[in-house]
Amino acid sequence: MLVMLRSTYEDMSREAANIVAERLRRKPDMVLGLATGSTPLGMYRELIRMHIEEGLDFSKVTTFNLDEYVGLPPSHDQSYHYFMKEALFDHINLNPSRVHVPMGMAPDVEAICEWYEERIRQAGGIDLQILGIGSNGHIAFNEPGSSLGSRTRIKTLTERTIRDNARFFANKEEVPHLAITMGIGTIMEAGELIILANGEKKADAVKASVEGPITAMMPASIVQMHRKAYFIVDETAASKLSPDMLEELTGRPNGQPAMHS
Ligand code: GLP
């Protein structure tokens, strides 16, 4: 795992978009794993800009989203289907037949989970997976305590996640309690991972995931085991890392900001 510290949210987002664009130019039919949440929005904006201004071509790309709430139709403005359409899909040239988001309204959720795993296999596996991190260290909707070898399945959301995500809904009661999520085992099979974190709210989870023990109680800590994972953080999300780690990342004692003379 490589930790990359960038000064601002914009720098973090640009860095991530540059990695995606570089991989895409090298492999135009790449399989790209996508994430929701506010964190990757800046990266999506930059990818859209590259598509419009630089002709970055998504026409042969296959995508798989990490997760979806159970019980929300794709037309619901808080469903991840809707979110992805607004944030990315409507603005680039993906082929809709190659876009996959778990179906939260499926009558047989278990069958959908198995089908999702099968589709990923048929596509040849995910080349590059984008991830955010929950304030409790979850990745996708793999809450603390999730098996580190888990596959795509249905999960119950923790109170903390429901509280965190309530800001997007009219009130907390509207937040679904169940979600379909790729498993941690599924995510770890991706060829490369980009995990993004910005803001003070993520500083504890970043510290525990980067410096702490690998444990199911901090699902993002498993990323330490991935050979090609880029953990890209902004300064506030990195603010609780140990002085030694900060010095290594910045090349400056205690991670002090550079002096301008
Ligand atoms: C949700 C998503 C996660 C995401 C997390 C953080 O719970 N299922 O994939 O990483 O929120 O969201 P945000 O980026 O808004 O902080």
Side-chain angles (χ1 to χ4, degrees), residues 9 34-41 66-69 80 83 130-136 138-143 157 161-162 164-165 167-168 179-181 195-198 201-202:
Y9 175 72
L34 297 171
T36 53
S38 48
T39 311
L41 283 174
L66 286 169
D67 46 13
E68 176 59 291
Y69 290 113
Y80 286 168
F83 175 97
I130 309 297
L131 294 166
I133 179 171
S135 63
N136 62 0
H138 74 218
I139 47 175
F141 271 131
N142 294 288
E143 298 284 28
L157 307 188
T161 297
I162 291 170
D164 280 356
N165 290 359
R167 67 188 193 276
F168 302 114
I180 297 175
T181 180
I195 178 161
L196 299 170
N198 69 290
K201 222 179 102 195
K202 302 293 172 70

Side-chain angles (χ1 to χ4, degrees), residues 62-78:
T62 299
T63 69
F64 287 95
N65 260 82
L66 286 169
D67 46 13
E68 176 59 291
Y69 290 113
V70 168
L72 292 191
S75 57
H76 191 289
D77 65 358
Q78 290 312 322

Side-chain angles (χ1 to χ4, degrees), residues 41-240:
L41 283 174
M43 183 194 75
Y44 291 151
R45 276 195 293 271
E46 179 62 8
L47 287 173
I48 293 166
R49 187 199 65 71
M50 289 174 170
H51 168 66
I52 295 170
E53 293 177 13
E54 299 166 16
L56 189 65
D57 182 15
F58 292 84
S59 62
K60 296 190 181 71
V61 173
T62 299
T63 69
F64 287 95
N65 260 82
L66 286 169
D67 46 13
E68 176 59 291
Y69 290 113
V70 168
L72 292 191
S75 57
H76 191 289
D77 65 358
Q78 290 312 322
S79 75
Y80 286 168
H81 277 81
Y82 191 96
F83 175 97
M84 288 307 301
K85 253 173 80 62
E86 296 272 297
L88 185 68
F89 297 160
D90 279 355
H91 312 286
I92 57 175
N93 63 333
L94 280 165
N95 177 339
S97 70
R98 294 207 188 94
V99 169
H100 304 86
V101 182
M103 285 301 298
M105 287 296 278
D108 186 345
V109 174
E110 268 179 35
I112 276 291
C113 294
E114 273 175 38
W115 175 84
Y116 210 66
E117 289 275 332
E118 185 53 31
R119 283 296 297 138
I120 294 172
R121 260 192 303 275
Q122 284 167 359
I126 295 170
D127 291 308
L128 171 61
Q129 176 66 56
I130 309 297
L131 294 166
I133 179 171
S135 63
N136 62 0
H138 74 218
I139 47 175
F141 271 131
N142 294 288
E143 298 284 28
S146 293
S147 158
L148 297 179
S150 51
R151 314 301 308 184
T152 303
R153 69 211 182 293
I154 189 164
K155 280 294 289 178
T156 305
L157 307 188
T158 61
E159 264 308 301
R160 182 155 171 195
T161 297
I162 291 170
R163 215 171 43 236
D164 280 356
N165 290 359
R167 67 188 193 276
F168 302 114
F169 289 80
N171 55 60
K172 189 168 156 261
E173 283 58 51
E174 275 192 24
V175 185
H177 287 209
L178 297 174
I180 297 175
T181 180
M182 258 188 222
I184 298 177
T186 321
I187 292 168
M188 287 294 284
E189 280 171 13
E192 292 185 288
L193 303 177
I194 291 180
I195 178 161
L196 299 170
N198 69 290
E200 219 180 322
K201 222 179 102 195
K202 302 293 172 70
D204 286 319
V206 167
K207 181 180 174 58
S209 307
V210 170
E211 297 178 355
I214 296 170
T215 161
M217 294 315 288
M218 184 52 60
S221 63
I222 190 68
V223 171
Q224 293 176 34
M225 293 288 288
H226 200 287
R227 290 175 58 220
K228 288 188 182 165
Y230 308 95
F231 206 135
I232 315 179
V233 296
D234 77 350
E235 268 178 7
T236 44
S239 59
K240 293 193 176 162

Side-chain angles (χ1 to χ4, degrees), residues 4-9 11-12 15 232-236:
M4 300 166 80
L5 174 59
R6 295 294 174 267
S7 316
T8 64
Y9 175 72
D11 293 339
M12 177 199 84
E15 184 68 54
I232 315 179
V233 296
D234 77 350
E235 268 178 7
T236 44

